[in-house]
Amino acid sequence: MFRHHFSSLKSDTIKAIFLVCLAVGVVGVSYGSLAMAYGFPLWVPLSLSVLVLAGASEFMFIGIVASGGNPLAAAVAGLLVNARHLPFGVTVRELVGSRGKSLLGCHIMNDESVVFGLSQATPAQRKAAYWLCGMGVALLWPLGVLLGAGIGKLLPAPETIGLDAVFPAILLALVLPALKKKTTLIRASSGAALSLAAVPFAPVGLPVLISLLGLLTRKK
């Protein structure tokens, strides 16, 4: 059935999906390397990469825990980062399948699979692109983590080579376009200021949650 659906995709779309999944795998290498350099056992990043399958949350989790933060606070911060999956689920409800299949369909829901799924012209193409991209990410992300874990064991302290800056740089690149809106810019700036002000006084991981108060600074 999937083979039939995939055949409906244009070659350019398949190529684009492959390149995006490959890029995700490369980011997975940096994630695995960083986790090892921070002293995590292999099973932690590998389990997260398979069971959570949400790069932003995983990066944030190991970053907060490695800094001495509470794992529970790190998990809550990760959930908040991926709160966008709630509207995603409503948007792609026709693409994830039904019954038991929908469990896997929801698991592979991510930014990439949603974008490719919704950008296609026909229902068959949308479902094919969603599943092809989602399964590609689900495969290449853990593989990237495994490769990165092997590399990470050979690396010095991550801050020495700037590896710990990979995730913040990725997030910054993602949010910059949204900051063109005045309301978003004010809320983001306020949240960042609150978070920075709380750093000397709050436990590691809590300033990230405090930054959400920035949403109250200006209404639409």
Side-chain angles (χ1 to χ4, degrees):
M1 180 177 64
F2 282 130
R3 185 176 181 181
H4 170 71
H5 283 308
F6 293 157
S7 65
S8 67
L9 292 174
K10 298 179 180 179
S11 59
D12 288 345
T13 301
I14 295 176
K15 181 180 178 180
I17 290 175
F18 171 76
L19 292 175
V20 166
C21 291
L22 185 61
V24 168
V26 172
V27 177
V29 172
S30 69
Y31 168 57
S33 301
L34 187 60
M36 292 297 100
Y38 276 151
F40 286 91
L42 175 60
W43 68 266
V44 173
L46 185 58
S47 297
L48 291 174
S49 69
V50 174
L51 300 177
V52 178
L53 195 60
S57 291
E58 295 173 48
F59 267 110
M60 180 166 289
F61 181 85
I62 67 169
I64 292 176
V65 173
S67 300
N70 187 294
L72 181 58
V76 172
L79 286 173
L80 290 174
V81 167
N82 281 282
R84 66 189 184 282
H85 282 67
L86 293 175
F88 279 179
V90 176
T91 305
V92 300
R93 62 186 182 277
E94 302 296 332
L95 305 181
V96 299
S98 58
R99 299 178 182 177
K101 179 183 172 184
S102 65
L103 296 176
L104 178 60
C106 290
H107 183 60
I108 64 172
M109 180 177 59
N110 50 59
D111 297 334
E112 295 82 9
S113 61
V114 169
V115 169
F116 275 108
L118 296 179
S119 62
Q120 306 307 308
T122 68
Q125 290 175 333
R126 286 194 287 271
K127 181 172 287 189
Y130 176 85
W131 279 86
L132 183 60
C133 185
M135 293 301 293
V137 169
L139 175 64
L140 290 179
W141 178 250
L143 287 178
V145 171
L146 276 175
L147 179 59
I151 297 173
K153 293 179 180 179
L154 306 176
L155 291 176
E159 61 272 13
T160 302
I161 59 173
L163 188 60
D164 55 334
V166 171
F167 176 55
I170 292 172
L171 276 187
L172 182 61
L174 290 174
V175 302
L176 279 178
L179 297 181
K180 293 179 180 179
K181 295 182 179 179
K182 184 178 180 180
T183 299
T184 303
L185 177 60
I186 293 176
R187 288 174 172 173
S189 300
S190 301
L194 289 171
S195 181
L196 288 173
V199 168
F201 313 103
V204 177
L206 188 57
V208 176
L209 304 181
I210 293 176
S211 68
L212 292 174
L213 295 175
L215 295 173
L216 304 176
T217 56
R218 181 183 174 91
K219 295 186 179 296
K220 293 182 179 180

